[in-house]
Amino acid sequence: MIIVLLGPPGTGKGTQAAAVKTRFQVPHISTGDILRRNLAEGTPLGLKAKGYMEAGELVPDGLVLDLVAERLKEPDCSGGFLLVGFPRTSVQAEALDKLLAASASPIDHVVLLEVPDGTVVDRLSGRRVCKSCGAVWHATFNPPPAGMVCPKCSGDIYQRADDSSEAVLNRLQVYARQTGPLIGYYDAKGLIRRVDGSKSPQEVEAAIFASLA
Ligand code: AP5
């Protein structure tokens, strides 16, 4: 099964990815997580991506396509995978189609999470994340533990630099301009499954599974 989780920043893609991955027993590939890991480790890729990510701009297609192409060659992807935050531009979507055509395994579903912009701003301004394992909390809706240490891996819990209000507004504009056109691209292929992401995490999870049935 090959699933793409699409939607503006803060719509709950990372939150829902864990349940989808467990249900379908596929690896979860998040380009944002891979880029943040490179940033934290100070790799050449991380250094190239840093300025774009902190400003809420997209990292150039070439850098992202190379890392995805490498990741999809790994043996755990042979039975399918869940893509989160990729593709994000028409160039990336077309490149993914070419990669998948080569292995004769097309995308099965593109789940589109939809949430009003105001809700996205509230969610991202309160988001807290584990630096090590990427676990996600919200300062109000799902508060992190006192001491800001992750109970799963003992990593530090922090606020992402691109969750500042200016970066969030820019990310919403970047999404509308560069990623929004992918909705039409996948709709024309009959792959879009629209899900209301503004409900509770449990309701959103149930709606995603219903859309994949
Ligand atoms: P990336 O990491 O992909 O960020 P994003 O798409 O902007 O998405 P987010 O991680 O911000 O949000 P999310 O939808 O996962 O929401 P979450 O579940 O955390 O990308 C970051 C950057 O990397 C990009 O800006 C770009 O620079 C670069 N990049 C990455 N991929 C790229 C690509 N393909 N090409 C080029 N550049 C790329 O939830 C948010 C908050 O809401 C949390 O606090 C959560 O607890 C809360 N929440 C979630 N669901 C609910 C709910 N149902 N009710 C209440 N609260 C909820």
Side-chain angles (χ1 to χ4, degrees), residues 10 13-15 31 36 57 85 88 92 127 137 171 199:
K13 301 181 298 295
T15 301
T31 43
R36 272 185 294 282
E57 295 291 331
R88 234 158 152 133
Q92 293 179 16
R127 174 165 60 182
W137 290 267
R171 284 159 67 199
K199 302 206 167 132

Side-chain angles (χ1 to χ4, degrees), residues 10-209:
T11 46
K13 301 181 298 295
T15 301
Q16 296 298 333
V20 176
K21 152 188 170 164
T22 305
R23 171 80 164 251
F24 293 99
Q25 295 290 298
V26 287
H28 152 209
I29 301 168
S30 156
T31 43
D33 287 348
I34 297 172
L35 289 166
R36 272 185 294 282
R37 213 155 43 235
N38 278 272
L39 204 66
E41 290 167 4
T43 68
L45 171 61
L47 294 175
K48 284 183 198 151
K50 186 176 193 296
Y52 297 102
M53 293 178 75
E54 288 181 353
E57 295 291 331
L58 294 186
V59 172
D61 288 328
L63 296 178
V64 177
L65 287 171
D66 284 350
L67 79 82
V68 171
E70 281 310 305
R71 180 65 186 87
L72 295 187
K73 282 184 200 155
E74 290 180 30
D76 65 333
C77 293
S78 61
F81 42 84
L82 168 65
L83 287 170
V84 182
F86 178 91
R88 234 158 152 133
T89 63
S90 302
V91 170
Q92 293 179 16
E94 285 160 16
L96 176 63
D97 282 347
K98 279 194 193 129
L99 273 175
L100 298 179
S103 61
S105 13
I107 296 171
D108 294 287
H109 304 278
V110 176
V111 177
L112 173 64
L113 289 181
E114 298 178 301
V115 173
D117 284 0
T119 308
V120 159
V121 174
D122 289 345
R123 285 186 183 180
L124 292 182
S125 57
R127 174 165 60 182
R128 302 293 181 266
V129 185
C130 171
K131 216 166 212 166
S132 287
C133 72
V136 179
W137 290 267
H138 189 280
T140 312
F141 311 131
N142 175 25
M148 302 296 274
V149 173
C150 177
K152 296 172 192 162
C153 74
S154 304
D156 289 335
I157 298 172
Y158 80 123
Q159 181 168 26
R160 275 169 46 176
D162 61 349
D163 281 347
S164 69
S165 44
E166 308 87 75
V168 168
L169 292 177
N170 192 37
R171 284 159 67 199
L172 284 168
Q173 287 172 1
V174 166
Y175 176 86
R177 201 171 55 240
Q178 296 187 258
T179 310
L182 297 192
I183 299 170
Y185 179 82
Y186 287 125
D187 225 357
K189 294 173 185 277
L191 293 174
I192 290 281
R193 319 285 176 245
R194 290 178 184 271
V195 170
D196 178 357
S198 63
K199 302 206 167 132
S200 72
Q202 296 73 17
E203 288 171 305
V204 177
E205 182 184 316
I208 291 176
F209 291 153

